[in-house]
Amino acid sequence: LYDRPLFQLVLTFGVSIVMLEGIRSIWSTTPYAWTEGFSVRNADFVFLGQSFGAYRLFVIVVGLLLMIGIALLLRYTRIGIIIRAGVEDPEMVSALGINVRAVFTLVFTLGCAVAAFGGAVAAPFLGATISMGSTYLLSAIAVIVLGGLGSYEGTAIGSILLGLSLSTMQQFGININLPVLASITPMLLLVIVLLVRPRGLFGEER
């Protein structure tokens, strides 16, 4: 299905539904909270007069390290160069004797691993629920569109912008007694970006 992006999307949703139902039947839908304490999770720090959990800072640092690490991988390693070339001109890369489909499968596997790692990092902070993945699905799509298809730097910056927007709108929604405002923020950003700059902030016209 590499040549049929729409079918990829439909298949992804279908497989996720099957997996969620499997999880539901085996482990039920009871959410799990992290109960065992450890130093980073229990510590606090003060910033601008407000007290925050140190684990929030840990999550931010891990996220930044992941962004930088993947950027270095894509720009300065042989496999990164092959990945970028395979996206731009898969026929030419195949002509050089490189199995582009195997490379894309590796990228997909790496993406799954990073997503799983993100869930593991978030679990002590947010708890573990069956809807963890779907909760951030719309935000992930919004980040890709906001940054621009094919632009890793744009996606990284888009994720920060979306995170700041979500936090701001969440606080604003609480102040005006409209908590649903935060949940529609990704969709609002999607609409604005598609209307003003359809290719995204850093996407290139093709």
Side-chain angles (χ1 to χ4, degrees):
L1 295 176
Y2 277 132
D3 299 327
R4 308 173 75 179
L6 182 59
F7 282 86
Q8 288 183 39
L9 186 61
V10 173
L11 178 65
T12 301
F13 277 109
V15 171
S16 68
I17 292 173
V18 172
M19 293 178 68
L20 285 176
E21 291 303 318
I23 293 171
R24 192 191 307 272
S25 63
I26 298 172
W27 290 289
S28 79
T29 58
T30 304
Y32 290 89
W34 198 277
T35 55
E36 296 183 10
F38 51 95
S39 58
V40 177
R41 183 173 178 270
N42 295 334
D44 295 318
F45 71 97
V46 178
F47 181 72
L48 298 178
Q50 296 288 329
S51 179
F52 299 94
Y55 199 78
R56 291 176 180 265
L57 186 61
F58 172 75
V59 171
I60 292 172
V61 171
V62 169
L64 290 176
L65 289 177
L66 269 178
M67 286 182 182
I68 295 170
I70 295 174
L72 293 175
L73 173 71
L74 291 175
R75 288 198 170 273
Y76 299 108
T77 65
R78 183 173 183 272
I79 186 63
I81 294 172
I82 292 173
I83 291 170
R84 289 188 288 121
V87 172
E88 291 294 330
D89 196 342
E91 291 81 8
M92 181 60 72
V93 176
S94 297
L96 295 174
I98 297 173
N99 190 335
V100 177
R101 289 184 178 272
V103 172
F104 285 171
T105 301
L106 174 64
V107 172
F108 177 79
T109 305
L110 177 63
C112 292
V114 171
F117 178 71
V121 171
F125 179 57
L126 301 174
T129 66
I130 197 171
S131 60
M132 281 185 72
S134 58
T135 300
Y136 298 99
L137 181 60
L138 181 59
S139 296
I141 296 173
V143 162
I144 294 171
V145 175
L146 181 62
L149 293 175
S151 172
Y152 177 77
E153 293 80 3
T155 302
I157 294 173
S159 66
I160 296 174
L161 292 176
L162 179 62
L164 292 173
S165 300
L166 280 171
S167 298
T168 302
M169 297 304 285
Q170 186 175 28
Q171 187 61 45
F172 181 68
I174 293 174
N175 293 338
I176 64 173
N177 197 25
L178 193 63
V180 73
L181 199 58
S183 62
I184 64 174
T185 298
M187 185 61 70
L188 291 176
L189 280 177
L190 269 178
V191 171
I192 294 172
V193 171
L194 289 175
L195 287 175
V196 178
R197 193 178 175 88
R199 66 178 182 272
L201 298 178
F202 297 89
E204 298 179 358
E205 291 188 4
R206 296 180 182 272

